[in-house]
């Protein structure tokens, strides 16, 4: 491959290092997997240059920004890349494959490294992600794992993966359990773009000749919206339902959501979102239980009065093959019970 570049998305694996030359906030929002962030301009510098561009014009912005870029590139040479050998081959990108990554590539080539610029930059990567999701999702041979709240669907998916099945864990990618109370303690959800990047990477790894198990989801998981191509494929897929008794599900919920008892006021506040669906008396009772950490009666009523009544109607409305679903009974949802459910789902094909 010519040292003159620019490189394409298909060439990513040929480089020793992928460098994201954008600002830290741009990198945090989303980036090419495996890329390291070495900004040509940090967030404050980028703001300053942008302001100068608007107020004084392109020449003054380039003069001031050029000095900042030069200082940052010199620092990266002294610190991050001080020990790189002459044979090192980095790929550099910025937003559109413009001045920020171009400046870095020119400096690296002057040093003697075979540096290249990614054609189209992050914008091209973003187009690739969307195209991959739209192309691969309709080809997936999905098995949608259904079951009312507390059926241990996520744990069953994990057991299926451990048993060698292909699994798409959307809630894992979204860092959210998908329900009203699904926010994970101390864990921020990724940006929409970062979620889609990880989704595209996962889809590319699948053997399209084998089934892929996925949990039944609505269009949103927390603040993350599922791509239309994937939602449509899920809606048309085979449904496999976990049938577990109310007692087993309640025991599982108490274990899986035990951390909600650590923030009683926060839990009570979230329940406020159900006020339009239930009476004032019911919401008040649930909030009292939340504040006193009485999770057993709270989860019991939430399941019976809120989640379960809507479950069947929701599945029938969203999944076109719901009427022909195949079911697996679960006596318990402890580790051994989840293992048995996973084995039974595998046997259904």
């Amino acid at each position: 491959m010519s040292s003159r570049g620019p490189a394409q998305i298909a060439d990513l694996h040929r480089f020793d290092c992928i460098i994201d030359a954008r600002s830290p906030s741009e990198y945090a929002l989303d980036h090419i997997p495996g890329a390291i962030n070495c900004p040509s301009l940090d967030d404050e510098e980028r703001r300053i240059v942008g302001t100068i561009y608007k107020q004084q014009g392109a020449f003054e912005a380039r003069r001031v920004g050029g000095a900042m870029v030069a200082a940052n590139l010199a620092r990266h040479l002294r610190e991050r890349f001080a020990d790189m050998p002459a044979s090192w081959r980095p790929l550099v990108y910025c937003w559109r494959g413009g001045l920020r990554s171009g400046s870095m590539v020119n400096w690296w080539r002057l040093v003697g490294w075979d540096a290249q610029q990614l054609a189209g930059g992050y914008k091209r990567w973003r187009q690739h992600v969307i195209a991959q999701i739209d192309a691969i999702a309709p080809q997936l041979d999905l098995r949608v794992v259904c079951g009312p709240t507390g059926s241990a669907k996520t744990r069953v998916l994990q057991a299926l993966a451990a048993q060698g099945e292909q699994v798409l864990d959307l809630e894992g990618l979204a860092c959210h359990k998908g329900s009203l109370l699904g926010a994970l303690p101390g864990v921020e959800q990724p940006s929409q773009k970062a979620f889609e990047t990880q989704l595209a990477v996962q889809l590319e790894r699948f053997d399209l000749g084998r089934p892929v198990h996925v949990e039944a989801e609505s269009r949103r998981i927390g603040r993350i919206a599922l791509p239309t191509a994937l939602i449509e494929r899920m809606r048309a897929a085979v449904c496999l339902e976990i049938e577990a008794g109310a007692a087993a599900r309640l025991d599982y919920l108490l274990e899986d959501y035990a951390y909600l008892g650590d923030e009683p006021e926060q839990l009570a506040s979230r329940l406020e979102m159900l006020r339009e669906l239930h009476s004032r008396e019911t919401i008040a009772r649930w909030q009292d239980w939340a504040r006193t950490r009485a999770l057993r009666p709270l989860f019991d009523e939430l399941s019976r009065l809120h989640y379960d009544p809507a479950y069947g109607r929701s599945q029938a409305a969203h999944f076109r093959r719901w009427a022909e679903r195949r079911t697996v009974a679960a006596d318990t949802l402890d580790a051994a019970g989840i293992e048995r459910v996973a084995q039974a789902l595998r046997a259904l094909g």
Side-chain angles (χ1 to χ4, degrees), residues 127-139 199-200 203 227-230:
Q127 292 167 347
H128 167 78
V129 164
I130 295 171
Q132 287 298 90
I133 293 173
D134 288 345
I136 298 173
Q139 301 181 61
L199 174 60
L203 295 183
T228 299
L230 179 59

Side-chain angles (χ1 to χ4, degrees), residues 54 99 179 195:
K54 291 178 182 178
L99 289 174
S179 65
F195 169 82

